mmCIF file of all heavy atoms in Angstrom:
data_model
loop_
_atom_site.group_PDB
_atom_site.id
_atom_site.type_symbol
_atom_site.label_atom_id
_atom_site.label_comp_id
_atom_site.label_asym_id
_atom_site.label_seq_id
_atom_site.Cartn_x
_atom_site.Cartn_y
_atom_site.Cartn_z
ATOM 1 N N GLY F 34 116.261 114.093 116.310
ATOM 2 C CA GLY F 34 117.417 113.213 116.372
ATOM 3 C C GLY F 34 118.547 113.680 115.485
ATOM 4 O O GLY F 34 118.346 114.480 114.565
ATOM 5 N N ILE F 35 119.732 113.185 115.798
ATOM 6 C CA ILE F 35 120.911 113.465 114.974
ATOM 7 C C ILE F 35 121.678 112.168 114.768
ATOM 8 O O ILE F 35 121.585 111.252 115.580
ATOM 9 C CB ILE F 35 121.848 114.504 115.637
ATOM 10 C CG1 ILE F 35 122.174 114.068 117.072
ATOM 11 C CG2 ILE F 35 121.234 115.894 115.608
ATOM 12 C CD1 ILE F 35 123.287 114.865 117.697
ATOM 13 N N CYS F 36 122.402 112.110 113.693
ATOM 14 C CA CYS F 36 123.233 110.950 113.385
ATOM 15 C C CYS F 36 124.682 111.373 113.327
ATOM 16 O O CYS F 36 125.033 112.276 112.561
ATOM 17 C CB CYS F 36 122.858 110.426 112.011
ATOM 18 S SG CYS F 36 121.986 108.918 112.086
ATOM 19 N N LEU F 37 125.510 110.725 114.111
ATOM 20 C CA LEU F 37 126.940 111.012 114.080
ATOM 21 C C LEU F 37 127.568 110.129 113.006
ATOM 22 O O LEU F 37 127.595 108.908 113.134
ATOM 23 C CB LEU F 37 127.565 110.711 115.447
ATOM 24 C CG LEU F 37 126.943 111.470 116.622
ATOM 25 C CD1 LEU F 37 127.373 110.849 117.948
ATOM 26 C CD2 LEU F 37 127.321 112.944 116.565
ATOM 27 N N THR F 38 128.015 110.753 111.939
ATOM 28 C CA THR F 38 128.592 109.980 110.825
ATOM 29 C C THR F 38 130.026 110.446 110.595
ATOM 30 O O THR F 38 130.308 111.110 109.597
ATOM 31 C CB THR F 38 127.776 110.166 109.535
ATOM 32 O OG1 THR F 38 127.638 111.576 109.287
ATOM 33 C CG2 THR F 38 126.395 109.542 109.648
ATOM 34 N N GLU F 39 130.901 110.104 111.542
ATOM 35 C CA GLU F 39 132.296 110.536 111.416
ATOM 36 C C GLU F 39 132.959 109.779 110.264
ATOM 37 O O GLU F 39 132.455 108.764 109.810
ATOM 38 C CB GLU F 39 133.049 110.253 112.729
ATOM 39 C CG GLU F 39 132.324 110.673 113.998
ATOM 40 C CD GLU F 39 132.072 112.178 114.137
ATOM 41 O OE1 GLU F 39 132.508 112.944 113.260
ATOM 42 O OE2 GLU F 39 131.421 112.572 115.112
ATOM 43 N N HIS F 40 134.114 110.291 109.844
ATOM 44 C CA HIS F 40 134.848 109.625 108.764
ATOM 45 C C HIS F 40 135.585 108.398 109.303
ATOM 46 O O HIS F 40 136.507 108.527 110.094
ATOM 47 C CB HIS F 40 135.876 110.578 108.148
ATOM 48 C CG HIS F 40 135.265 111.706 107.381
ATOM 49 N ND1 HIS F 40 134.641 111.530 106.173
ATOM 50 C CD2 HIS F 40 135.175 113.028 107.649
ATOM 51 C CE1 HIS F 40 134.207 112.693 105.724
ATOM 52 N NE2 HIS F 40 134.507 113.625 106.608
ATOM 53 N N GLN F 41 135.171 107.251 108.887
ATOM 54 C CA GLN F 41 135.853 105.967 109.152
ATOM 55 C C GLN F 41 135.981 105.614 110.635
ATOM 56 O O GLN F 41 136.763 104.744 110.971
ATOM 57 C CB GLN F 41 137.286 105.948 108.576
ATOM 58 C CG GLN F 41 137.518 106.690 107.302
ATOM 59 C CD GLN F 41 137.359 105.847 106.068
ATOM 60 O OE1 GLN F 41 136.744 106.270 105.121
ATOM 61 N NE2 GLN F 41 137.846 104.650 106.091
ATOM 62 N N VAL F 42 135.233 106.280 111.497
ATOM 63 C CA VAL F 42 135.393 105.970 112.926
ATOM 64 C C VAL F 42 134.036 106.029 113.625
ATOM 65 O O VAL F 42 133.207 106.874 113.308
ATOM 66 C CB VAL F 42 136.428 106.920 113.592
ATOM 67 C CG1 VAL F 42 135.980 108.359 113.523
ATOM 68 C CG2 VAL F 42 136.692 106.529 115.037
ATOM 69 N N VAL F 43 133.808 105.065 114.501
ATOM 70 C CA VAL F 43 132.562 105.078 115.270
ATOM 71 C C VAL F 43 132.834 105.547 116.698
ATOM 72 O O VAL F 43 133.923 105.360 117.225
ATOM 73 C CB VAL F 43 131.877 103.686 115.316
ATOM 74 C CG1 VAL F 43 131.214 103.378 113.997
ATOM 75 C CG2 VAL F 43 132.831 102.600 115.729
ATOM 76 N N TRP F 44 131.836 106.140 117.291
ATOM 77 C CA TRP F 44 131.936 106.576 118.677
ATOM 78 C C TRP F 44 131.885 105.364 119.601
ATOM 79 O O TRP F 44 131.200 104.377 119.310
ATOM 80 C CB TRP F 44 130.755 107.474 119.024
ATOM 81 C CG TRP F 44 130.853 108.895 118.584
ATOM 82 C CD1 TRP F 44 131.013 109.344 117.309
ATOM 83 C CD2 TRP F 44 130.773 110.046 119.431
ATOM 84 N NE1 TRP F 44 131.023 110.713 117.309
ATOM 85 C CE2 TRP F 44 130.876 111.174 118.587
ATOM 86 C CE3 TRP F 44 130.606 110.236 120.799
ATOM 87 C CZ2 TRP F 44 130.830 112.477 119.089
ATOM 88 C CZ3 TRP F 44 130.551 111.522 121.296
ATOM 89 C CH2 TRP F 44 130.678 112.631 120.449
ATOM 90 N N ASP F 45 132.539 105.475 120.715
ATOM 91 C CA ASP F 45 132.376 104.521 121.799
ATOM 92 C C ASP F 45 130.936 104.694 122.311
ATOM 93 O O ASP F 45 130.531 105.816 122.611
ATOM 94 C CB ASP F 45 133.388 104.885 122.896
ATOM 95 C CG ASP F 45 133.406 103.866 124.018
ATOM 96 O OD1 ASP F 45 132.313 103.381 124.387
ATOM 97 O OD2 ASP F 45 134.497 103.573 124.509
ATOM 98 N N PRO F 46 130.151 103.597 122.400
ATOM 99 C CA PRO F 46 128.746 103.730 122.826
ATOM 100 C C PRO F 46 128.584 104.462 124.161
ATOM 101 O O PRO F 46 127.619 105.198 124.369
ATOM 102 C CB PRO F 46 128.280 102.281 122.955
ATOM 103 C CG PRO F 46 129.204 101.493 122.095
ATOM 104 C CD PRO F 46 130.513 102.220 122.068
ATOM 105 N N GLN F 47 129.559 104.286 125.043
ATOM 106 C CA GLN F 47 129.505 104.979 126.342
ATOM 107 C C GLN F 47 129.561 106.494 126.183
ATOM 108 O O GLN F 47 128.877 107.238 126.884
ATOM 109 C CB GLN F 47 130.674 104.541 127.210
ATOM 110 C CG GLN F 47 130.310 103.391 128.119
ATOM 111 C CD GLN F 47 131.466 103.038 129.024
ATOM 112 O OE1 GLN F 47 132.629 103.074 128.604
ATOM 113 N NE2 GLN F 47 131.167 102.679 130.254
ATOM 114 N N ASP F 48 130.386 106.933 125.237
ATOM 115 C CA ASP F 48 130.501 108.374 124.982
ATOM 116 C C ASP F 48 129.206 108.930 124.397
ATOM 117 O O ASP F 48 128.829 110.064 124.691
ATOM 118 C CB ASP F 48 131.662 108.668 124.018
ATOM 119 C CG ASP F 48 133.015 108.357 124.641
ATOM 120 O OD1 ASP F 48 133.089 108.235 125.878
ATOM 121 O OD2 ASP F 48 133.991 108.219 123.881
ATOM 122 N N VAL F 49 128.539 108.115 123.572
ATOM 123 C CA VAL F 49 127.259 108.553 122.995
ATOM 124 C C VAL F 49 126.226 108.676 124.114
ATOM 125 O O VAL F 49 125.494 109.669 124.187
ATOM 126 C CB VAL F 49 126.752 107.576 121.908
ATOM 127 C CG1 VAL F 49 125.402 108.025 121.369
ATOM 128 C CG2 VAL F 49 127.753 107.489 120.770
ATOM 129 N N ASP F 50 126.188 107.683 124.993
ATOM 130 C CA ASP F 50 125.249 107.731 126.122
ATOM 131 C C ASP F 50 125.485 108.978 126.962
ATOM 132 O O ASP F 50 124.547 109.649 127.387
ATOM 133 C CB ASP F 50 125.413 106.491 127.017
ATOM 134 C CG ASP F 50 124.855 105.247 126.337
ATOM 135 O OD1 ASP F 50 124.157 105.396 125.304
ATOM 136 O OD2 ASP F 50 125.124 104.135 126.823
ATOM 137 N N GLU F 51 126.742 109.261 127.194
ATOM 138 C CA GLU F 51 127.099 110.418 128.006
ATOM 139 C C GLU F 51 126.611 111.715 127.350
ATOM 140 O O GLU F 51 126.060 112.589 128.000
ATOM 141 C CB GLU F 51 128.618 110.478 128.141
ATOM 142 C CG GLU F 51 129.099 110.916 129.503
ATOM 143 C CD GLU F 51 130.567 110.589 129.646
ATOM 144 O OE1 GLU F 51 130.893 109.420 129.972
ATOM 145 O OE2 GLU F 51 131.376 111.492 129.384
ATOM 146 N N LEU F 52 126.810 111.779 126.035
ATOM 147 C CA LEU F 52 126.393 112.963 125.284
ATOM 148 C C LEU F 52 124.868 113.123 125.310
ATOM 149 O O LEU F 52 124.349 114.229 125.377
ATOM 150 C CB LEU F 52 126.889 112.829 123.833
ATOM 151 C CG LEU F 52 126.684 114.010 122.892
ATOM 152 C CD1 LEU F 52 127.458 115.238 123.363
ATOM 153 C CD2 LEU F 52 127.112 113.637 121.473
ATOM 154 N N ALA F 53 124.180 111.994 125.263
ATOM 155 C CA ALA F 53 122.712 112.023 125.205
ATOM 156 C C ALA F 53 122.083 112.285 126.565
ATOM 157 O O ALA F 53 120.923 112.677 126.656
ATOM 158 C CB ALA F 53 122.194 110.697 124.657
ATOM 159 N N GLN F 54 122.847 112.071 127.599
ATOM 160 C CA GLN F 54 122.338 112.052 128.969
ATOM 161 C C GLN F 54 121.416 113.219 129.325
ATOM 162 O O GLN F 54 121.774 114.382 129.167
ATOM 163 C CB GLN F 54 123.504 112.054 129.942
ATOM 164 C CG GLN F 54 123.311 111.056 131.059
ATOM 165 C CD GLN F 54 124.568 110.956 131.889
ATOM 166 O OE1 GLN F 54 125.269 111.942 132.087
ATOM 167 N NE2 GLN F 54 124.854 109.762 132.395
ATOM 168 N N GLY F 55 120.253 112.827 129.809
ATOM 169 C CA GLY F 55 119.341 113.842 130.342
ATOM 170 C C GLY F 55 118.641 114.691 129.292
ATOM 171 O O GLY F 55 117.778 115.485 129.610
ATOM 172 N N GLY F 56 119.003 114.513 128.034
ATOM 173 C CA GLY F 56 118.403 115.353 126.992
ATOM 174 C C GLY F 56 117.306 114.630 126.237
ATOM 175 O O GLY F 56 117.115 113.434 126.390
ATOM 176 N N GLU F 57 116.601 115.383 125.428
ATOM 177 C CA GLU F 57 115.507 114.836 124.620
ATOM 178 C C GLU F 57 116.024 114.309 123.293
ATOM 179 O O GLU F 57 115.346 113.544 122.625
ATOM 180 C CB GLU F 57 114.500 115.953 124.306
ATOM 181 C CG GLU F 57 113.873 116.593 125.515
ATOM 182 C CD GLU F 57 112.738 115.753 126.074
ATOM 183 O OE1 GLU F 57 111.675 115.747 125.460
ATOM 184 O OE2 GLU F 57 112.959 115.083 127.110
ATOM 185 N N MET F 58 117.192 114.790 122.892
ATOM 186 C CA MET F 58 117.698 114.497 121.563
ATOM 187 C C MET F 58 118.123 113.036 121.429
ATOM 188 O O MET F 58 118.914 112.545 122.220
ATOM 189 C CB MET F 58 118.910 115.409 121.295
ATOM 190 C CG MET F 58 119.467 115.391 119.896
ATOM 191 S SD MET F 58 118.307 115.954 118.631
ATOM 192 C CE MET F 58 117.856 117.578 119.266
ATOM 193 N N LYS F 59 117.596 112.361 120.423
ATOM 194 C CA LYS F 59 118.029 110.992 120.126
ATOM 195 C C LYS F 59 119.332 111.076 119.335
ATOM 196 O O LYS F 59 119.439 111.834 118.377
ATOM 197 C CB LYS F 59 116.983 110.291 119.253
ATOM 198 C CG LYS F 59 115.822 109.791 120.045
ATOM 199 C CD LYS F 59 116.004 108.301 120.333
ATOM 200 C CE LYS F 59 114.970 107.851 121.339
ATOM 201 N NZ LYS F 59 115.516 107.261 122.551
ATOM 202 N N ILE F 60 120.290 110.277 119.732
ATOM 203 C CA ILE F 60 121.563 110.290 119.031
ATOM 204 C C ILE F 60 121.826 108.917 118.426
ATOM 205 O O ILE F 60 121.864 107.912 119.145
ATOM 206 C CB ILE F 60 122.719 110.686 119.969
ATOM 207 C CG1 ILE F 60 122.400 112.032 120.639
ATOM 208 C CG2 ILE F 60 124.030 110.762 119.198
ATOM 209 C CD1 ILE F 60 123.436 112.471 121.647
ATOM 210 N N PHE F 61 121.978 108.892 117.118
ATOM 211 C CA PHE F 61 122.263 107.644 116.412
ATOM 212 C C PHE F 61 123.681 107.694 115.848
ATOM 213 O O PHE F 61 124.254 108.757 115.688
ATOM 214 C CB PHE F 61 121.272 107.452 115.257
ATOM 215 C CG PHE F 61 119.839 107.486 115.691
ATOM 216 C CD1 PHE F 61 119.065 108.624 115.483
ATOM 217 C CD2 PHE F 61 119.262 106.399 116.322
ATOM 218 C CE1 PHE F 61 117.734 108.676 115.886
ATOM 219 C CE2 PHE F 61 117.934 106.437 116.735
ATOM 220 C CZ PHE F 61 117.175 107.583 116.509
ATOM 221 N N GLN F 62 124.165 106.490 115.554
ATOM 222 C CA GLN F 62 125.501 106.404 114.988
ATOM 223 C C GLN F 62 125.486 105.828 113.601
ATOM 224 O O GLN F 62 124.849 104.810 113.348
ATOM 225 C CB GLN F 62 126.333 105.456 115.847
ATOM 226 C CG GLN F 62 126.990 106.120 116.972
ATOM 227 C CD GLN F 62 128.383 105.537 117.162
ATOM 228 O OE1 GLN F 62 129.194 105.566 116.254
ATOM 229 N NE2 GLN F 62 128.633 105.008 118.324
ATOM 230 N N GLY F 63 126.203 106.469 112.726
ATOM 231 C CA GLY F 63 126.466 105.890 111.421
ATOM 232 C C GLY F 63 127.955 105.986 111.184
ATOM 233 O O GLY F 63 128.738 106.020 112.133
ATOM 234 N N ASN F 64 128.327 106.048 109.923
ATOM 235 C CA ASN F 64 129.731 106.132 109.576
ATOM 236 C C ASN F 64 129.806 106.604 108.135
ATOM 237 O O ASN F 64 128.896 106.356 107.362
ATOM 238 C CB ASN F 64 130.361 104.737 109.716
ATOM 239 C CG ASN F 64 131.840 104.800 110.002
ATOM 240 O OD1 ASN F 64 132.522 105.709 109.537
ATOM 241 N ND2 ASN F 64 132.329 103.849 110.759
ATOM 242 N N GLU F 65 130.867 107.303 107.786
ATOM 243 C CA GLU F 65 131.065 107.658 106.384
ATOM 244 C C GLU F 65 132.401 107.092 105.933
ATOM 245 O O GLU F 65 133.441 107.453 106.468
ATOM 246 C CB GLU F 65 131.031 109.179 106.169
ATOM 247 C CG GLU F 65 131.130 109.539 104.685
ATOM 248 C CD GLU F 65 130.938 111.029 104.396
ATOM 249 O OE1 GLU F 65 130.994 111.846 105.326
ATOM 250 O OE2 GLU F 65 130.742 111.349 103.214
ATOM 251 N N PHE F 66 132.320 106.195 104.971
ATOM 252 C CA PHE F 66 133.529 105.556 104.462
ATOM 253 C C PHE F 66 133.891 106.102 103.091
ATOM 254 O O PHE F 66 133.021 106.293 102.238
ATOM 255 C CB PHE F 66 133.317 104.036 104.310
ATOM 256 C CG PHE F 66 133.201 103.313 105.613
ATOM 257 C CD1 PHE F 66 131.969 102.879 106.065
ATOM 258 C CD2 PHE F 66 134.321 103.059 106.385
ATOM 259 C CE1 PHE F 66 131.855 102.198 107.279
ATOM 260 C CE2 PHE F 66 134.216 102.386 107.595
ATOM 261 C CZ PHE F 66 132.981 101.949 108.040
#
Side-chain angles (χ1 to χ4, degrees):
I35 52 169
C36 252
L37 303 165
T38 53
E39 314 297 357
H40 291 289
Q41 326 268 135
V42 62
V43 285
W44 280 58
D45 186 321
Q47 266 183 322
D48 293 343
V49 178
D50 287 348
E51 218 165 278
L52 186 63
Q54 225 172 35
E57 300 280 285
M58 188 62 55
K59 280 261 170 238
I60 305 176
F61 304 102
Q62 273 219 58
N64 206 327
E65 184 173 14
F66 290 104

